[in-house]
């Protein structure tokens, strides 16, 4: 009889414990959304323009948030003022950790072209305004809120969840994610997965999400510096073959150059996956892209959609010119900066040779300032499936598409370490709103942002909670 009573007591204890293990956290989303909006506005007010960066300002702000929550963290400074921060919630360690990666820095602003203070975090007309509202302080806050909610609700985790905010992404990441990858391996030890910026997610004009993009690869940079030399002199006596004249002529030939159209398998899959969300004739074109690109008017039609054209060709953007700061001096040296983005099949050396043919002047020196090899993460993973499941819960009518962006992110530093890294932007905006990133009057729709906070939570929670 005593033995039976003892077993009944043990069984009762197990039954009492089971609901606690299975219980879902109760979250007041109205309260969470208000907090997230307030935090994003505060974060935007932290001026972290790169150059010079000053990301330690952002680190200090994140440090105060984590201190208030009692979450441990580490800080690293790659150079004076160039700070990054990491926090880790420990799980059972049964499965590889997931990194939530964001960058603290933002691109510079020309204040005279803004209609609001770019660092006021203004809330107006259904938008949160400010530099970084789209790229990428909004996603950084969504990731931060996921971390805070896991911690506040004491969610049992089967894997570690790592929050990592870094410096210098806008200048290539060498003082941020690249420095972390090289000098702080303990920060990402045990990680097998990573979520970062780097995929388009779209909404219709009413703000209803159409699709959420997930990217396992991206184009790579080939940032070039072109240098011309020539005889110097006084501006009152023209020199036909001056450095400036030679450079301008070479750049005009490069400007007119049209790199060949090229369809790679990842891009073909990505564009086909979003075809159903496009109006005709683009729906049919993207479903049969290989045939469309054979048509004689394909480039002319794609030029109407430059974001699509950039996915099927290498790109050239002349972004900087320098000669002399004295109007009456013909300088001996003139330089240009050219931002090129390459398809995965191209190397920097091959591309530099192509640019040399395009400029058609062997006296022009071509220097590669930034490049790294392409890297890809597979999409057939538990994390991708968790994203699909989370999107179904939060946006039942939206799809999930493969994506590939025209730019590059810090994800390659971690793909090179064998970590599955996805571009995953949980905020779905219209193309018009999204185009304000890096531009004037950058802003994120409030509803799209708060929806992204919910979606980020669903992905991280579903992928990391103890089962």
């Amino acid at each position: 009889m005593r033995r039976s009573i003892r077993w009944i007591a043990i069984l009762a204890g197990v039954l009492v414990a089971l609901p606690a293990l299975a219980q879902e956290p109760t979250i007041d989303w109205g309260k969470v959304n208000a907090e997230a909006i307030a935090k994003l506005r505060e974060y935007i007010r932290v001026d972290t323009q790169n150059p010079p960066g000053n990301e330690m300002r952002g680190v200090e702000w994140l440090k105060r948030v984590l201190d208030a929550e009692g979450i441990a963290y580490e800080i690293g400074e790659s150079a004076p003022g160039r700070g990054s921060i990491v926090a880790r919630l420990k799980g059972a360690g049964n499965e590889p950790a997931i990194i939530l990666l964001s960058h603290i820095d933002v691109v510079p602003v020309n204040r005279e072209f803004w209609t609001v203070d770019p660092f006021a975090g203004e809330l107006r007309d259904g938008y949160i305004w400010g530099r970084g509202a789209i790229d990428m302080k909004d996603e950084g806050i969504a990731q931060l809120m996921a971390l805070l909610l896991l911690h506040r609700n004491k969610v049992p985790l089967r894997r570690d969840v790592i929050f990592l905010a870094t410096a210098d992404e806008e200048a290539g990441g060498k003082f941020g994610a690249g420095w972390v990858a090289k000098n702080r391996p303990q920060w990402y030890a045990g990680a097998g997965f990573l979520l970062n910026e780097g995929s388009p997610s779209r909404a219709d004009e009413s703000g209803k999400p159409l699709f959420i993009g997930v990217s396992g690869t991206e184009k790579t940079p080939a940032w070039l510096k072109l240098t011309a030399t020539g005889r110097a002199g006084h501006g009152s006596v023209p020199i036909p073959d001056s450095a400036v004249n030679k450079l301008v002529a070479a750049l005009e030939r490069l400007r007119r150059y049209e790199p060949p159209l090229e369809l790679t398998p990842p891009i073909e899959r990505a564009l086909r996956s979003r075809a159903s969300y496009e109006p005709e004739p683009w729906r049919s074109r993207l479903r049969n892209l290989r045939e469309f690109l054979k048509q004689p008017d394909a480039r002319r039609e794609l030029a109407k959609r430059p974001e699509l054209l950039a996915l099927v060709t290498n790109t050239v953007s002349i972004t900087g010119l320098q000669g002399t700061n004295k109007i009456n001096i013909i300088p001996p040296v003139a330089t240009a900066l050219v931002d090129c983005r390459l398809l995965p099949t191209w190397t920097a050396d091959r591309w530099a040779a192509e640019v040399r043919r395009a400029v058609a002047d062997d006296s022009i020196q071509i220097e590669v300032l930034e490049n790294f090899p392409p890297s890809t993460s597979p999409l057939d993973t538990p994390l991708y499936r968790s994203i699909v499941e989370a999107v179904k819960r939060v946006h039942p009518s939206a799809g999930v598409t493969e994506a590939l962006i025209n730019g590059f992110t810090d994800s390659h530093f971690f793909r090179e370490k064998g970590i599955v890294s996805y571009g995953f932007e949980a905020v779905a905006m219209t193309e018009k709103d999204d185009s304000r990133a890096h531009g004037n009057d950058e802003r994120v729709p409030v509803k799209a942002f708060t929806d992204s906070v919910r979606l980020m939570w669903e992905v991280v929670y579903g992928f990391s909670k103890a089962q």
Side-chain angles (χ1 to χ4, degrees):
M1 184 65 177
R2 289 179 181 173
R3 184 177 300 173
S4 298
I5 292 172
R6 186 176 64 200
W7 277 108
I8 290 170
I10 293 172
L11 181 60
V14 170
L15 291 174
V16 167
L18 282 176
L21 289 174
Q23 186 175 0
E24 297 287 314
T26 300
I27 297 175
D28 183 340
W29 284 106
K31 185 177 179 180
V32 169
N33 290 342
E35 179 184 356
I37 291 168
K39 280 184 163 52
L40 177 55
R41 296 179 69 194
E42 290 177 19
Y43 200 20
I44 288 171
R45 291 177 191 133
V46 182
D47 184 348
T48 52
Q49 293 178 83
N50 185 11
N54 289 324
E55 294 91 350
M56 277 302 297
R57 297 172 178 171
V59 167
E60 288 296 328
W61 184 84
L62 290 165
K63 174 180 175 294
R64 288 194 294 273
V65 173
L66 296 172
D67 278 337
E69 301 286 336
I71 298 175
Y73 53 83
E74 290 186 37
I75 294 171
E77 213 172 350
S78 57
R82 312 307 302 275
S84 299
I85 186 170
V86 67
R88 182 187 291 247
L89 298 183
K90 295 291 292 182
N94 299 332
E95 298 183 29
I98 181 172
I99 302 170
L100 308 180
L101 175 65
S102 65
H103 62 83
I104 300 169
D105 61 321
V106 299
V107 295
V109 301
N110 297 106
R111 291 176 181 265
E112 65 270 26
F113 296 109
W114 284 63
T115 59
V116 300
D117 181 342
F119 296 102
E122 186 168 332
L123 182 62
R124 189 178 79 181
D125 302 330
Y127 289 88
I128 301 167
W129 301 63
R131 178 59 87 220
I134 297 174
D135 186 10
M136 64 169 296
K137 288 184 175 180
D138 60 335
E139 186 163 354
I141 293 298
Q143 294 176 350
L144 178 64
M145 292 305 301
L147 186 87
L148 299 184
L149 290 174
L150 290 174
H151 177 72
R152 291 171 185 174
N153 288 279
K154 298 180 174 58
V155 176
L157 302 171
R158 66 180 186 271
R159 67 176 84 245
D160 291 2
V161 176
I162 303 167
F163 175 82
L164 177 59
T166 61
D168 197 41
E169 190 275 343
E170 297 293 359
K174 291 180 180 178
F175 289 97
W179 180 84
V180 169
K182 183 178 180 179
N183 296 284
R184 292 292 186 273
Q186 68 273 22
W187 283 14
Y188 55 89
F193 300 94
L194 179 146
L195 292 178
N196 186 23
E197 64 177 346
S199 66
S201 297
R202 288 287 173 263
D204 63 19
E205 291 301 319
S206 72
K208 182 179 179 182
L210 296 172
F211 63 84
I212 303 296
V214 181
S215 174
T217 189
E218 52 202 30
K219 294 178 80 175
T220 60
W223 290 351
L224 307 180
K225 181 179 180 180
L226 275 58
T227 302
T229 57
R231 184 163 57 90
H234 195 285
S236 63
V237 181
I239 301 175
D241 63 345
S242 71
V244 170
N245 286 348
K246 287 196 290 187
L247 182 64
V248 168
L251 291 176
E252 176 60 12
R253 290 189 288 271
L254 183 59
R255 187 185 71 83
R256 292 177 176 274
Y257 165 67
E258 292 184 342
L261 300 178
E262 182 179 335
L263 186 61
T264 60
I267 294 171
E268 185 174 19
R269 289 195 308 270
L271 292 179
R272 186 186 296 126
S273 74
R274 65 179 282 183
S276 60
Y277 305 101
E278 293 280 344
E280 290 291 3
W282 289 103
R283 183 178 304 161
S284 297
R285 289 170 174 173
L286 296 187
R287 282 175 175 165
N288 302 279
L289 194 55
R290 197 165 293 276
E291 292 303 313
F292 171 62
L293 292 183
K294 295 176 183 177
Q295 298 176 12
D297 65 342
R299 182 182 288 274
R300 185 171 66 251
E301 288 298 303
L302 282 165
K304 300 174 184 177
R305 298 284 301 276
E307 81 285 356
L308 296 182
L309 175 59
L311 291 175
V312 293
T313 188
N314 297 328
T315 59
V316 177
S317 293
I318 302 168
T319 56
L321 296 168
Q322 186 172 4
T324 176
N325 60 359
K326 292 285 287 182
I327 195 169
N328 62 344
I329 293 177
I330 297 174
V333 178
T335 61
L337 300 177
V338 185
D339 183 344
C340 305
R341 307 298 172 108
L342 306 184
L343 296 169
T345 53
W346 285 75
T347 64
D349 289 343
R350 180 187 170 200
W351 176 244
E354 185 75 5
V355 170
R356 180 165 299 287
R357 282 191 290 272
V359 302
D361 184 344
D362 289 339
S363 73
I364 302 292
Q365 178 186 345
I366 300 174
E367 179 185 359
V368 178
L369 300 179
E370 178 70 66
N371 176 254
F372 49 81
S375 59
T376 301
S377 293
L379 294 181
D380 183 18
T381 68
L383 178 56
Y384 184 84
R385 291 189 286 274
S386 287
I387 292 172
V388 172
E389 292 167 3
V391 171
K392 287 179 181 177
R393 290 194 296 272
V394 179
H395 304 303
S397 63
V400 177
T401 67
E402 294 187 33
L404 188 144
I405 61 169
N406 300 320
F408 70 93
T409 73
D410 282 336
S411 292
H412 73 94
F413 291 114
F414 297 94
R415 289 193 184 111
E416 291 160 11
K417 299 292 183 181
I419 297 172
V420 172
S421 302
Y422 291 156
F424 169 66
E425 294 181 11
V427 59
M429 292 181 285
T430 64
E431 196 167 299
K432 182 179 179 181
D433 278 335
D434 200 21
S435 69
R436 290 175 181 256
H438 284 214
N440 303 320
D441 286 342
E442 183 178 350
R443 63 187 191 179
V444 64
V446 171
K447 180 65 163 56
F449 169 63
T450 55
D451 283 350
S452 77
V453 173
R454 177 67 180 271
L455 180 55
M456 185 68 70
W457 159 257
E458 292 288 346
V459 171
V460 176
Y461 173 71
F463 187 62
S464 305
K465 67 177 179 178
Q467 294 177 322

